[in-house]
């Protein structure tokens, strides 16, 4: 026999033993040809799971093999449980398969309550199922989902701590330590600043009191000024101002209408021309007095006769 053939035979034997051992650990003996399979239907299973034990009168005779939903229209949502019995114990089709919980710390199991009247049950039959309503069953029904949640939380916690371990490397820890040291130094500086501010406030406390007192006096003076302003009769002042404006408007109307001296002076062109002519003659007279003062002012001690006025002829 060649080495390759021996190696192949040994490999096949190892694979076969592995398959048998795996199923044996699951509670299924492949070498036992007396195994029978039954099905039972429930509206709810109360924490029952695959590999749960199947007992008859307290003796374990098999295990739950599969749990699936019923796909029929009439019983949609119901659960179809398939279990395997390795024991050759006989019972009728009228036997009841009840879900029960042996203790509050474990899941639910199946208990076959055997009946011996009628036809005997054969592999593949659908048996009648019931749910045992008890404290253990209720607690077990709630513990199974809780156990699954706790397992998921543990897995996530382990993942979280793994991520933290990756994040908290030596460089990161050194950076955190440096940041904490800087924060401590900053807090010390803040304390020093606060102490300086407190010292400054203590040194200038008297000045602050004086400043506050002055502020009070200023506020009081503003209050007095406000009272005086409130005491002023603004309506009377406004009425007088309105009256004065009305009088000025009336006077303007009269001036524009030519009434009175100012109105005639502003609106009568002849008076304006006469006034302008008189102003010109007066200007000539003043200029002549300035140029020939002897014509108008004469002093004589001996009584000399004044010469007649003769108009100077311009060249």
């Amino acid at each position: 026999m060649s080495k390759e053939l021996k190696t192949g035979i040994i490999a096949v034997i190892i694979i076969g033993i592995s398959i048998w051992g795996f199923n044996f650990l699951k509670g299924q003996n492949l070498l036992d040809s007396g195994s029978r399979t039954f099905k039972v239907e429930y509206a709810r299973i109360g924490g029952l799971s695959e590999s749960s034990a199947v007992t008859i009168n307290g003796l374990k005779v098999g295990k739950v093999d599969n749990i699936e939903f019923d796909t029929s229209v009439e019983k949609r949502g119901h659960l179809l449980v398939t279990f395997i019995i390795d024991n050759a114990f006989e019972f009728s089709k009228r036997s009841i398969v009840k879900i029960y919980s042996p203790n509050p710390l474990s899941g639910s199991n199946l208990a076959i309550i055997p009946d011996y009247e009628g036809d005997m049950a054969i592999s593949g039959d659908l048996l009648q199922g019931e749910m045992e309503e008890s404290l253990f069953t209720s607690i077990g029904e709630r513990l199974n989902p809780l156990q699954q949640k706790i397992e998921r939380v543990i897995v996530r916690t382990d993942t979280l701590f793994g991520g933290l371990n990756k994040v908290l490397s030596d460089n990161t820890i050194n950076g955190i330590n440096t940041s904490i040291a800087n924060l401590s130094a900053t807090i010390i500086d803040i304390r020093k600043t606060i102490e300086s501010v407190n010292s400054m406030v203590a040194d200038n406390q008297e000045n602050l009191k004086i400043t506050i007192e002055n502020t009070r006096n200023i506020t009081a003076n503003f209050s007095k000024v406000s009272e005086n302003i409130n005491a002023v009769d603004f309506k009377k002042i406004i009425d007088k101002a309105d009256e004065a404006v009305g009088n000025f408007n009336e006077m303007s109307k009269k001036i524009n209408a030519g009434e009175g001296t100012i109105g005639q002076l502003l609106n009568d062109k002849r008076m304006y021309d006469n006034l302008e002519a008189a102003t010109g003659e007066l200007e000539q007279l003043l200029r002549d007095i300035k140029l020939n003062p002897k014509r108008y002012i004469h002093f004589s001690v001996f009584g000399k006769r004044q010469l007649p006025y003769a108009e100077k002829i311009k060249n």
Side-chain angles (χ1 to χ4, degrees):
M1 183 180 295
S2 62
K3 292 183 179 180
E4 291 79 4
L5 182 58
K6 290 180 181 180
T7 304
I9 293 173
I10 292 173
V12 171
I13 293 173
I14 292 174
I15 293 172
I17 293 174
S18 300
I19 295 173
W20 176 84
F22 177 75
N23 287 276
F24 181 79
L25 292 175
K26 291 176 59 179
Q28 184 177 359
N29 189 358
L30 298 178
L31 301 179
D32 189 359
S33 60
S35 298
R36 294 174 295 170
T37 301
F38 297 96
K39 294 183 179 181
V40 60
E41 190 169 15
Y42 300 97
R44 57 190 180 91
I45 59 175
L48 187 71
S49 61
E50 295 182 1
S51 299
S52 294
V54 180
T55 62
I56 297 177
N57 296 333
L59 176 65
K60 181 179 178 180
V61 295
K63 71 176 188 66
V64 175
D65 183 59
N66 186 31
I67 301 175
E68 59 184 356
F69 283 102
D70 193 340
T71 57
S72 62
V73 179
E74 296 81 4
K75 296 184 179 181
R76 183 177 299 171
H78 286 210
L79 294 164
L80 192 62
V81 178
T82 303
F83 61 91
I84 299 172
I85 294 179
D86 299 328
N87 195 288
F89 184 79
E90 297 289 338
F91 52 87
S92 69
K93 295 181 180 181
R94 298 174 60 181
S95 299
I96 297 174
V97 182
K98 183 176 291 187
I99 297 177
Y100 76 100
S101 181
N103 59 72
L105 299 179
S106 64
S108 299
N109 293 330
L110 290 181
I112 299 176
I113 302 175
D115 189 286
Y116 307 106
E117 296 181 0
D119 298 335
M120 292 292 108
I122 60 175
S123 181
D125 285 344
L126 179 65
L127 304 179
Q128 183 179 357
E130 290 184 1
M131 168 72 73
E132 182 182 55
E133 296 295 340
S134 65
L135 177 62
F136 289 167
T137 303
S138 178
I139 294 176
E141 184 176 359
R142 287 165 175 77
L143 282 178
N144 282 343
L146 180 61
Q147 180 182 359
Q148 295 176 0
K149 291 181 181 179
I150 291 175
E151 290 176 353
R152 288 198 294 268
V153 170
I154 291 173
V155 172
R156 291 177 181 176
T157 304
D158 183 67
T159 304
L160 176 61
F161 280 113
L164 288 176
N165 289 331
K166 292 181 180 179
V167 172
L168 295 177
S169 60
D170 293 337
N171 293 331
T172 305
I173 294 174
N174 292 332
I176 293 173
N177 292 332
T178 303
S179 299
I180 293 173
N182 293 334
L183 180 61
S184 178
T186 303
I187 293 173
I188 293 173
D189 293 338
I190 291 173
R191 287 179 179 175
K192 291 181 180 178
T193 303
I194 293 173
E195 291 176 357
S196 299
V197 172
N198 292 334
S199 177
M200 183 178 64
V201 172
D203 294 338
N204 295 276
Q205 188 172 5
E206 189 65 27
N207 294 331
L208 288 174
K209 289 182 180 179
I210 296 173
T211 303
I212 293 172
E213 187 64 27
N214 292 335
T215 304
R216 289 179 181 175
N217 294 333
I218 292 171
T219 304
N221 293 333
F222 274 123
S223 298
K224 292 180 181 179
V225 172
S226 178
E227 291 176 358
N228 294 332
I229 291 174
N230 291 330
V232 174
D233 192 356
F234 285 102
K235 184 176 184 306
K236 186 175 180 180
I237 295 174
I238 293 173
D239 292 340
K240 289 184 178 180
D242 186 61
E243 183 180 357
V245 172
N247 293 333
F248 181 78
N249 290 334
E250 187 67 24
M251 183 178 65
S252 298
K253 290 180 181 178
K254 289 181 179 181
I255 290 173
N256 292 330
E259 298 180 4
T261 303
I262 296 176
Q264 291 179 358
L265 181 63
L266 295 176
N267 294 291
D268 192 348
K269 190 173 185 304
R270 291 183 303 168
M271 183 176 290
Y272 173 77
D273 294 339
N274 293 334
L275 183 61
E276 186 178 6
T279 302
E281 292 177 357
L282 180 61
E283 182 179 0
Q284 291 178 0
L285 176 62
L286 292 174
R287 185 181 297 111
D288 188 65
I289 290 173
K290 184 177 180 181
L291 296 175
N292 304 295
K294 293 181 178 181
R295 292 179 183 177
Y296 303 97
I297 301 173
H298 179 72
F299 295 96
S300 176
V301 179
F302 300 101
K304 185 178 179 177
R305 192 176 66 177
Q306 185 177 2
L307 296 175
Y309 171 76
E311 185 175 358
K312 186 177 180 180
I313 301 173
K314 297 180 180 180
N315 294 328

